[in-house]
Amino acid sequence: MERKDEIEALVEENSAVFEDVSDQIWGFAEMCYQEKQSAELQKKVLRELGFTVNDQIKGMETAFIASYGEGHPIIAILGEYDALAGLNQEADCTEHKPMEPGKPGHGCGHNLLGAGSMCAVNAVKKYMEAHNVKGTIRYYGCPAEEGGSAKTFMVRDGYFKDCDIELSWHPAQFNYGWDGEDCLGTYNILFKFKGISAHAAACPQLGRSALDACELMNVGVNYLREHVIPEARIHYAYLNAGGTAPNVVPAEAMLSYVIRAPKMGAMYEIADRVIKCAQGAAMMTETEMSYKVVSGTSNLMSTKAVLDRFNANLDKYLPIPYTPEELEYAQKFKDTLDKSDEKRLLHCIELTYPEKSSAEIRAMYEEPMANWYCPEVGNTASTDAGDASWVVPGCQLHVACYPAGLPFHSWQMVAMGKSSLAKKGMKTAAKVLAMTALDFMTDPALLEQAKKDYLAKLDGETYRCPLPDDLQPGDKSF
Ligand SMILES: Nc1ccc(C(=O)N[C@@H](CCC(=O)O)C(=O)O)cc1
């Protein structure tokens, strides 16, 4: 049997357990570093399948590394399983309908993400056993992708040091290996202002408002936005607005800023300018300002040889065999979307299929699911898998689990997370990941090429970890 068919069979025959893991994690919906049940379930399943589990990962109770085999090549497949705040939603429901309002939900498909990667390492293990393949396959159980940058800590603390290749995937709206060009590095800084409280009517002249300082900082940053590269993003939230009483001058207030840019150098420069806005605001209001970096991720450095293998293997498993019912289901969710994104999506298809007429492009766009290869451009996102890609040759795969245009971090994405359609995407991802892992495990020349491509991509740059040396995972105390 061809390897492609053998992997297909291994994924399909063993998929029930991973579909169940995905559904259970969807239900747990645990956030940033609190993924206790999600991690326990995955460790239990992987141990039962014959993997050795190391869960003594520095500072992270919900991280672990499961491995099978020994020696090089060591291939890492990364998994995530954290949920997002406030996105709770009833499964399969085409209207926004929280089951428990305010509770978290899997709005970025991480229930499928971790389970799909587990499904891939299991298929690789079974293939290695059957064909006596030498090497090591690992599953990296990575918590807190959403704002916790767990992988960045794992890179900083040396957990990727001996890997030869790292592979990841993300549930998506299109099918493609990600070249990482529109991936942005992130830097999360907390700003604290200390003022002096006073009676706001009796002695306002004695008060110094920390809230005013925050507002002036935000105004300063609003002006700054015009003078940074257009790809940059600067977003913020109030963590403490200084209280709820207008008649008390707020003595303390706090902001959380996330600065993003496609190149790390540009990101650090913009961060320095944001800090200047904070200093200026403190000077204007005679308050004291301090700041702390609490998380950070690097842009994705896709290795060409890995990207090419992802796309070649994706081609082997597309189109995904959806049933008419699944396509009808997808269309119902597609109908809930804002049409204003249409131009960008049509443009993505045009770029990939320049030989097609505009009527053909439109017809492809109108399909309920994008069941073909097409890189999505302009959907800028960040990921802590970026840090892994700076230290090990690797890449991130995208497989459609949702219709084109369905936004990440939306109630629709939560609603579709348990569907058979999304699970077909998960299984397709597992097949492509497993095939790609085996390509690198069994072909030394290809592995060598990946190392060359990785160095070429770095082009002499070295990795600078965006996290302070002494920062602990999940520590947002300030
Ligand atoms: N292939 C993808 C990878 C990451 C994301 C994503 O939404 N990431 C979050 C998390 C960012 C972080 O790492 O802190 C974001 O951009 O806000 C989306 C698609």
Side-chain angles (χ1 to χ4, degrees):
M1 207 199 289
E2 260 190 73
R3 182 185 281 176
K4 165 200 171 265
D5 299 319
E6 210 170 324
I7 289 297
E8 167 128 48
L10 285 171
V11 166
E12 293 295 339
E13 280 160 22
N14 296 287
S15 64
V17 57
F18 305 108
E19 294 187 14
D20 179 57
V21 166
S22 175
D23 283 351
Q24 285 200 53
I25 292 178
W26 187 95
F28 298 150
E30 298 162 301
M31 281 172 55
C32 203
Y33 292 115
Q34 291 156 22
E35 312 88 343
K36 271 204 134 145
Q37 298 178 85
S38 305
E40 286 309 316
L41 171 66
Q42 293 178 78
K43 287 191 278 182
K44 179 175 163 283
V45 167
L46 286 164
R47 281 195 181 107
E48 280 167 10
L49 290 165
F51 285 82
T52 308
V53 173
N54 169 14
D55 59 2
Q56 301 303 303
I57 308 296
K58 199 175 153 203
M60 285 189 265
E61 264 183 68
T62 53
F64 63 96
I65 300 170
S67 84
Y68 169 78
E70 51 187 48
H72 289 273
I74 301 174
I75 316 286
I77 301 186
L78 317 185
E80 297 166 12
Y81 33 85
D82 58 321
L84 283 155
L87 278 179
N88 189 272
Q89 161 72 23
E90 193 177 306
D92 305 316
C93 179
T94 52
E95 275 165 39
H96 184 202
K97 194 172 167 201
M99 293 183 297
E100 295 174 88
K103 288 274 168 66
H106 270 289
C108 210
H110 293 183
N111 56 309
L112 299 157
L113 201 165
S117 295
M118 286 170 70
C119 182
V121 294
N122 181 59
V124 173
K125 173 179 177 283
K126 288 196 182 299
Y127 187 93
M128 287 169 75
E129 285 165 339
H131 298 272
N132 196 21
V133 176
K134 296 252 170 317
T136 306
I137 184 75
R138 286 187 190 155
Y139 171 82
Y140 276 63
C142 308
E145 190 265 348
E146 303 288 357
S149 45
K151 295 185 202 72
T152 316
F153 284 100
M154 291 170 98
V155 169
R156 184 191 76 180
D157 297 338
Y159 292 104
F160 284 92
K161 249 188 186 148
D162 58 351
C163 293
D164 292 293
I165 294 285
E166 61 83 18
L167 309 173
S168 60
W169 83 285
H170 205 290
Q173 305 79 356
F174 283 112
N175 303 293
Y176 63 105
W178 193 9
D179 67 9
E181 291 305 311
D182 49 8
C183 176
L184 307 178
T186 67
Y187 211 38
N188 185 191
I189 314 178
L190 305 187
F191 291 91
K192 192 192 281 179
F193 292 91
K194 276 202 169 142
I196 300 167
S197 64
H199 193 295
C203 52
Q205 70 279 12
L206 299 180
R208 297 292 180 268
S209 169
L211 176 60
D212 288 356
C214 289
E215 300 212 298
L216 286 164
M217 175 183 174
N218 295 339
V219 170
V221 174
N222 283 342
Y223 282 102
L224 173 67
R225 279 194 187 85
E226 195 193 340
H227 303 287
V228 297
I229 50 170
E231 297 81 11
R233 300 280 186 273
I234 312 174
H235 18 270
Y236 66 100
Y238 273 95
L239 298 188
N240 172 5
T244 54
N247 64 345
V248 180
V249 174
E252 194 172 304
M254 196 148 84
L255 290 164
S256 174
Y257 263 83
V258 172
I259 297 131
R260 309 198 198 205
K263 293 271 184 297
M264 302 308 283
M267 192 190 79
Y268 292 125
E269 271 172 33
I270 296 167
D272 283 344
R273 293 167 73 195
V274 168
I275 293 167
K276 282 183 187 162
C277 292
Q279 288 165 336
M283 191 186 275
M284 283 191 272
T285 52
E286 295 181 295
T287 55
E288 272 174 40
M289 187 278 291
S290 51
Y291 66 90
K292 180 181 173 181
V293 173
V294 288
S295 69
T297 63
S298 302
N299 61 306
L300 192 77
M301 298 287 278
S302 297
T303 291
K304 187 175 179 302
V306 185
L307 175 70
D308 289 348
R309 286 323 299 159
F310 268 162
N311 288 335
N313 287 325
L314 198 49
D315 194 49
K316 297 186 170 80
Y317 296 110
L318 289 180
I320 298 173
Y322 300 121
T323 62
E325 293 75 28
E326 284 166 345
L327 291 173
E328 207 177 297
Y329 173 93
Q331 187 60 48
K332 278 194 195 144
F333 280 96
K334 203 172 173 180
D335 290 341
T336 70
L337 302 180
D338 183 336
K339 300 281 178 290
S340 64
D341 208 19
E342 196 177 286
K343 253 199 173 144
R344 182 180 67 84
L345 298 164
L346 286 166
H347 184 59
C348 295
I349 308 172
E350 262 163 22
L351 281 176
T352 314
Y353 297 97
E355 73 287 357
K356 290 202 191 288
S357 70
S358 55
E360 285 171 314
I361 300 284
R362 159 81 39 194
M364 286 173 84
Y365 168 73
E366 297 294 349
E367 288 172 34
M369 289 293 288
N371 203 356
W372 14 265
Y373 166 80
C374 181
E376 179 160 3
V377 286
N379 186 14
T380 43
S382 308
T383 169
D384 54 3
D387 293 84
S389 74
W390 271 83
V391 296
V392 181
C395 190
Q396 186 159 97
L397 168 76
H398 284 91
V399 179
C401 295
Y402 320 102
L406 193 122
F408 288 113
H409 300 193
S410 65
W411 64 263
Q412 289 98 325
M413 196 163 277
V414 186
M416 292 188 75
K418 287 172 88 175
S419 64
S420 63
L421 170 127
K423 284 170 187 152
K424 282 190 177 166
M426 176 185 100
K427 287 186 282 181
T428 304
K431 292 168 198 172
V432 177
L433 288 167
M435 280 294 282
T436 307
L438 285 165
D439 284 344
F440 286 99
M441 208 179 264
T442 57
D443 185 346
L446 189 62
L447 194 59
E448 215 34 59
Q449 187 59 47
K451 286 183 182 164
K452 274 190 203 144
D453 289 353
Y454 159 76
L455 291 174
K457 179 87 181 186
L458 284 183
D459 196 21
E461 267 193 85
T462 47
Y463 175 62
R464 167 182 161 186
C465 181
L467 303 172
D469 291 344
D470 55 353
L471 183 69
Q472 291 310 306
D475 179 8
K476 299 214 171 179
S477 66
F478 185 37

